[in-house]
Amino acid sequence: MKKLRMKDYINKHKTRFLDELFEWLRIPSVSADPAYENQVLRAAEFLENQMKKLGIDKVEICKTKGHPIVYGEKIIDPKAPTVLVYGHYDVQPADPIELWDSPPFDPVIKNDKIYARGACDDKGQVFMHFKAYEVMKECGMLNCNIKFLIEGEEEVGSTNLGIFVNENKERLKADVILISDTGIIANDVPSITVGLRGLSYLEVEVTGPNRDLHSGLYGGAVANPINVLCEMIASLTDENGHITIPGFYDDVLEVSLEDRKKMNEAPFDINEYKSALDINDVHGEKGYTSLERASIRPSLDVNGIWGGYIGEGAKTVLPSKASAKISMRLVPNQTSASITKLFKEHLESIGPESVKVKVTAHHGGEAYVTPTDFAAYQAASNAMKESFGVEPIPQRSGGSIPIVALFEKELGLKSILMGFGLDSDAIHSPNEHYGVFNFLKGIETIPLFYKNLNPN
Ligand code: BES
Ligand code: MN
Ligand code: MN
């Protein structure tokens, strides 16, 4: 049989590609909730099966202390470049479920978009790599060695993958890492992510009296932990949007004015931004644009806050406890460990005598910047230029993928963040979706990356 050209092959098989992805999306691989442990394993087994069907070698479900890692490789020529493809098959919890227009684990296509939890982050994007592999294999295009490393704990901090990487340096040897777990600016404005922020995530618990009190008998005379927690949180940023934790900015690597100017040339419409979010104004650190605030500057956000009575009607109570989950996005040269320490010390020091403050650290990770002046970046840039017909813009993102900095530290490898999602895909939110255009464009672009990486 004559080999089909790549685009014809994709066209001919796209319905099946989508059907296969849908089967995977139906498995609720929620890593955060222990109730889904078996589903996470099923999602790993689906992948194992897919990889075996594609003829990928050494396919293995690698057990960890948490959810497993799925590994496989195809070595075609020891002298050819080796690409390590990383992604994650775990997804965020689907709640609040009542806000989904269709069930999160029953994928549907509406307006040319695939609606399901994980459609974009990251199952849909990971699956592009396996379909791209199929395309390359069937069209006689395999020209690089490929190692696939797909984990099940990205959404919970990748701790066990960190251990796996440290223990498997030989197996993971490669020339570069390729990841599709980020986005582009717009479908007609392709971009390559060249920066990720780091993360420190903590939980604060404020304890007041040893029991809930009648707010009439005690209110005004005993510190209310919710009031205190709110005051403490409010004091963490000043009127200029600066974070007030002493030493917080000490290690921040400032971006040059020249680079900032270039960054702000990227298409960005503040009015569209506001109207898409239904907000009347933006907010943030004085002296920086919205694009900068959400990429090259650190930030602090409360992710959740609770305490007291939240049921129907009113209950007059002065609660014993209040808690909040707080995260900080970090930029290059800040380290998660030192920021976590500064935060903990600061919070404990500002707590008034009237309450007890307990701060617990969750996961963290370091920021990362991809250089644009090396061959693999050029290969990705030219691949996108060919498939989109426009040269992609290098752009730093505000999101985090903690393992990327660790890959560089442990394996000495740079990562190319060639993702195809859109900010409007509602990842982590109800009605997460991924464009069929983006899914197919990814499948078309990935083979071009390999072609450019090893042109001979
Ligand atoms: N894929 C995202 C990160 C992302 C999305 C980066 C879009 C850039 C653009 C990833 O799955 C994610 O959600 N990461 C978490 C960090 C993790 C430690 C929970 C995040 O950024 O909150
Ligand atoms: Mn992701
Ligand atoms: Mn995510």
Side-chain angles (χ1 to χ4, degrees), residues 88 121-122 154-155 181:
H88 62 95
D121 184 14
D122 184 29
E154 194 277 341
E155 300 291 7
D181 192 21

Side-chain angles (χ1 to χ4, degrees), residues 155-270:
E155 300 291 7
V156 291
S158 302
T159 312
N160 292 306
L161 179 62
I163 297 168
F164 181 86
V165 169
N166 181 275
E167 289 172 351
N168 287 272
K169 288 186 179 169
E170 195 58 35
R171 165 148 55 159
L172 299 177
K173 258 198 175 146
D175 295 289
V176 70
I177 297 171
L178 180 63
I179 303 173
S180 297
D181 192 21
T182 55
I184 51 177
I185 296 173
N187 283 351
D188 55 355
V189 189
S191 56
I192 296 180
T193 300
V194 291
L196 295 166
R197 287 195 285 188
L199 185 70
S200 281
Y201 201 116
L202 298 106
E203 198 162 318
V204 183
E205 185 190 69
V206 175
T207 305
N210 58 8
R211 58 195 161 90
D212 286 4
L213 303 175
H214 189 291
S215 67
L217 297 183
Y218 291 94
V222 173
N224 180 323
I226 302 181
N227 294 28
V228 171
L229 178 60
C230 290
E231 284 163 22
M232 288 168 68
I233 290 170
S235 78
L236 295 177
T237 43
D238 67 15
E239 67 280 10
N240 293 322
H242 280 284
I243 293 158
T244 57
I245 299 166
F248 184 84
Y249 290 97
D250 283 2
D251 296 330
V252 166
L253 202 71
E254 301 284 340
V255 177
S256 72
L257 280 173
E258 194 191 326
D259 285 350
R260 286 176 60 190
K261 191 166 164 271
K262 220 151 119 219
M263 226 167 245
N264 286 296
E265 282 165 10
F268 178 78
D269 185 325
I270 191 82

Side-chain angles (χ1 to χ4, degrees), residues 365-410:
E366 314 303 343
Y368 180 76
V369 172
T370 308
T372 55
D373 59 353
F374 75 124
Y377 182 86
Q378 272 314 313
S381 181
N382 290 337
M384 279 189 141
K385 188 175 173 188
E386 188 175 338
S387 64
F388 283 88
V390 200
E391 192 170 332
I393 299 168
Q395 191 174 52
R396 278 170 66 169
S397 166
S400 309
I401 308 176
I403 202 66
V404 173
L406 212 106
F407 280 147
E408 177 159 59
K409 186 167 157 235
E410 297 282 346

Side-chain angles (χ1 to χ4, degrees), residues 292-322:
E292 293 170 339
R293 288 168 177 169
S295 63
I296 59 163
R297 297 300 293 169
S299 60
L300 183 152
D301 277 287
V302 181
N303 299 271
I305 184 162
W306 66 99
Y309 182 70
I310 53 167
E312 285 293 320
K315 179 188 179 197
T316 48
V317 62
L318 192 166
S320 166
K321 279 181 193 297

Side-chain angles (χ1 to χ4, degrees), residues 7 78 93 142 179 224 234 253 259 278 298 330 339 359 402 409 415 455:
K7 273 198 184 177
L142 276 177
I179 303 173
N224 180 323
L253 202 71
D259 285 350
D278 221 341
L330 313 177
I339 293 297
V359 182
K409 186 167 157 235
S415 289

Side-chain angles (χ1 to χ4, degrees), residues 27-47:
I27 308 172
S29 48
V30 178
S31 52
D33 186 345
Y36 289 85
E37 191 181 332
N38 199 42
Q39 301 292 349
V40 179
L41 179 61
R42 277 184 63 218
E45 286 165 350
F46 173 94
L47 197 55

